[in-house]
Amino acid sequence: MSLATATAAATAAATAAATVAAARSVRAPLPVLGRDVTVPLVTGGEVGYAALDYAASAPALQRVWDDVAAYAPYYGSVHRGAGYLSQLSTELFENARRTVAEFLDCRTDDQLVFTRSTTDSLNLLARALPAGCQVFVFETEHHAGLLPWQDARVTYLDAPRTPQQAVAALARALADRDPRGPALVCVTGASNVTGELWPVRELAAAAHAHGARIVLDAAQLAPHHPLSVQDLDVDWVAFSGHKLYAPFGSGVLAGRADWLRAAEPYLAGGGASRKVARREDGGVDVEWHAGAARHEAGSPNVIGAHSIASACKALTEAGFDSLVARERHLIGKVRAGLADVPEVRILSLFGDEAPRVGVISFVVEGWNSSHFAAALSAEYGIGVRDGLFCAHPLLRALLGSDPTTRGECGAPEAAPGEKSLNAVRVSFGAGTPDEHVDRFVTAVRELVREGAKWQYRTEDGRCVPAV
């Protein structure tokens, strides 16, 4: 069977499945790997695992896995091989680039670079900043958007409490900058802590009005909502495959080509270099590629790129209107269930009515968050996240603690049963069945009202069941 035949067969099967799914109620989740996995409970027996940590890493779509499996026997080197499999792989890799650019609604002259992750993408852009560039970033960013700019002049903006405050604060900061130099704004599309949607279009307008550019961290936005670079008018967008149901080690940076073309390659090596020659003085002269290859040194992760393209197709075919409607249904269930437990406080910057994706963080009165998350896992088979979610300044602002206090991500900071400065995060998406969120809500209610059924202890900074 040829690659084209194998891929066509897998695509036809996935398209048929997507058509059936679209015809069902919006409550029907997309098929994902792991939906049949069972896990043991400390109280005895086993239960189907409820994966509610999508904001960290979403499970692979079945469609993505099928497409990767269909291609795998034909895997070959990209761009530099004359063999049949190398040519097929090169075509697949470049087709993936076009598919993802279409998914993002990029401009015709934008450049799309395959990276390892959102973090890698933003660090690449940080390396490409023009000399003297000033960066503006809210303290509410994930560390991937907060930390890469250390070599630039950075202005950190306080956490806003409304979308309008965010736009106004950015406009004031930009108005005070030196207008003669370049500037960049980095902003998230949806918070990895609160799930709240940020006013990206308005922030982009403010940035451009003051001669600045803007990069969108879409790690939490792309899996949940349609994303148009042109409609939002952002200059770059970055996201990760492992959040987009394609956990095969790839990410994307897409946007304006000029800064990327002018920058030194992110990594020096084969693929990024067009010509290399020895000089008479013993050194080496290098001519670098001008396109995306300039920042894709080494052997490209063709499977990772192919998996992202597959996920983009699957989400597009399923229809974001249906996916968003179903997610709102799940969000409503979780928020209503948590609101029914007075001891639970949901964390929010913009308030209860703010539009959001399926990411909800909360604290429980009298509970250490690591202890609570451990009990959800050990006694109910529910996987959530606890800690500071690689967004320490934002959590400090939401929890009302000293913003200069340092906290170790994931460490409990208190013994089981004691209050901590960490939070619990539940997150879900296109593959989440109703039963998982129903079980979660029931578990929260039971743990708060009846307490844990098991004893727990702290081990290596984590709360674990006592043996």
Side-chain angles (χ1 to χ4, degrees):
M1 181 185 291
S2 68
L3 172 62
T5 303
T7 303
T11 300
T15 301
T19 301
V20 172
R24 296 174 182 167
S25 162
V26 294
R27 297 186 181 185
L30 292 181
V32 295
L33 297 185
R35 58 190 181 275
D36 299 323
V37 169
T38 61
V39 295
L41 302 179
V42 293
T43 51
E46 293 187 340
V47 68
Y49 183 63
L52 295 178
D53 194 16
Y54 276 48
S57 284
L61 285 174
Q62 184 68 54
R63 158 74 175 274
V64 171
W65 184 260
D66 291 343
D67 283 352
V68 167
Y71 162 65
Y74 303 90
Y75 172 78
S77 62
V78 175
H79 291 151
R80 297 180 292 281
Y84 181 69
L85 298 190
S86 179
Q87 294 296 309
L88 285 175
S89 296
T90 298
E91 180 181 0
L92 196 79
F93 187 71
E94 294 304 330
N95 281 341
R97 197 189 306 276
R98 287 186 285 271
T99 296
V100 178
E102 182 178 349
F103 176 79
L104 296 172
D105 190 28
C106 289
R107 298 165 287 258
T108 56
D109 56 348
D110 280 344
Q111 190 173 99
L112 190 147
V113 179
F114 283 114
T115 64
R116 294 178 297 176
S117 60
T118 309
T119 301
D120 197 37
S121 295
L122 294 175
N123 275 271
L124 190 165
L125 185 60
R127 287 278 297 274
L129 295 180
C133 187
Q134 187 171 2
V135 177
F136 296 81
V137 56
F138 287 93
E139 68 172 345
T140 47
E141 291 295 305
H142 184 282
H143 293 170
L146 195 70
L147 302 180
W149 324 105
Q150 300 300 310
D151 293 334
R153 292 184 296 154
V154 187
T155 298
Y156 296 104
L157 305 176
D158 292 339
R161 287 299 175 169
T162 66
Q164 295 75 19
Q165 282 184 12
V167 176
L170 178 63
R172 286 194 301 271
L174 289 171
D176 291 339
R177 81 176 185 92
D178 184 348
R180 294 171 296 178
L184 177 71
V185 176
C186 179
V187 67
T188 188
S191 171
N192 78 303
V193 175
T194 67
E196 293 164 318
L197 298 176
W198 276 63
V200 177
R201 187 181 293 105
E202 292 80 3
L203 291 167
H208 294 153
H210 291 88
R213 295 190 179 189
I214 186 168
V215 57
L216 171 64
D217 174 353
Q220 301 297 339
L221 182 64
H224 301 275
H225 278 260
L227 200 167
S228 170
V229 167
Q230 297 191 68
D231 181 54
L232 294 175
D233 197 23
V234 294
D235 298 282
W236 292 276
V237 60
F239 71 90
S240 297
H242 71 101
K243 312 248 192 236
L244 196 79
Y245 312 101
F248 291 90
S250 244
V252 168
L253 176 67
R256 306 289 183 189
D258 53 349
W259 285 10
L260 299 175
R261 189 184 302 119
E264 288 294 307
Y266 183 45
L267 298 173
S273 55
R274 186 169 180 270
K275 295 179 182 178
V276 180
R278 290 291 302 275
R279 296 194 304 264
E280 289 185 2
D281 64 3
V284 175
D285 284 325
V286 183
E287 179 182 332
W288 304 106
H289 279 293
R294 184 182 190 88
H295 299 292
E296 292 177 343
S299 296
N301 181 359
V302 59
I303 287 180
H306 180 46
S307 70
I308 290 179
S310 174
C312 290
K313 291 177 183 177
L315 293 173
T316 300
E317 291 166 4
F320 269 107
D321 287 346
S322 177
L323 294 173
V324 170
R326 183 174 182 282
E327 187 168 298
R328 285 175 180 162
H329 159 73
L330 296 179
I331 292 171
K333 273 194 168 192
V334 173
R335 288 181 61 84
L338 294 180
D340 191 44
V341 183
E343 293 84 355
V344 170
R345 176 166 71 95
I346 296 176
L347 303 181
S348 175
L349 273 175
F350 300 153
D352 290 342
E353 301 305 315
R356 64 194 72 233
V357 300
V359 179
I360 299 169
S361 295
F362 62 95
V363 291
V364 185
E365 183 181 345
W367 280 81
N368 167 258
S369 295
S370 181
H371 184 202
F372 201 84
L376 286 173
S377 175
E379 300 178 28
Y380 296 91
I382 298 171
V384 297
R385 181 62 55 112
D386 68 278
L388 297 172
F389 317 128
C390 296
H392 296 188
L394 171 55
L395 258 296
R396 295 303 181 194
L398 292 171
L399 296 174
S401 65
D402 185 342
T404 63
T405 301
R406 296 185 179 183
E408 184 179 349
C409 195
E413 296 186 351
E418 296 179 7
K419 181 181 177 180
S420 71
L421 292 176
N422 293 343
V424 178
R425 183 182 70 191
V426 57
S427 54
F428 39 87
T432 305
D434 281 52
E435 187 276 327
H436 287 183
V437 298
D438 290 340
R439 193 197 319 170
F440 167 76
V441 169
T442 298
V444 170
R445 185 181 299 114
E446 290 182 358
L447 283 172
V448 172
R449 294 178 180 174
E450 302 171 14
K453 300 180 181 67
W454 205 259
Q455 294 296 314
Y456 295 82
R457 59 187 175 82
T458 300
E459 180 179 290
D460 296 328
R462 301 294 310 164
C463 194
V464 298
V467 178

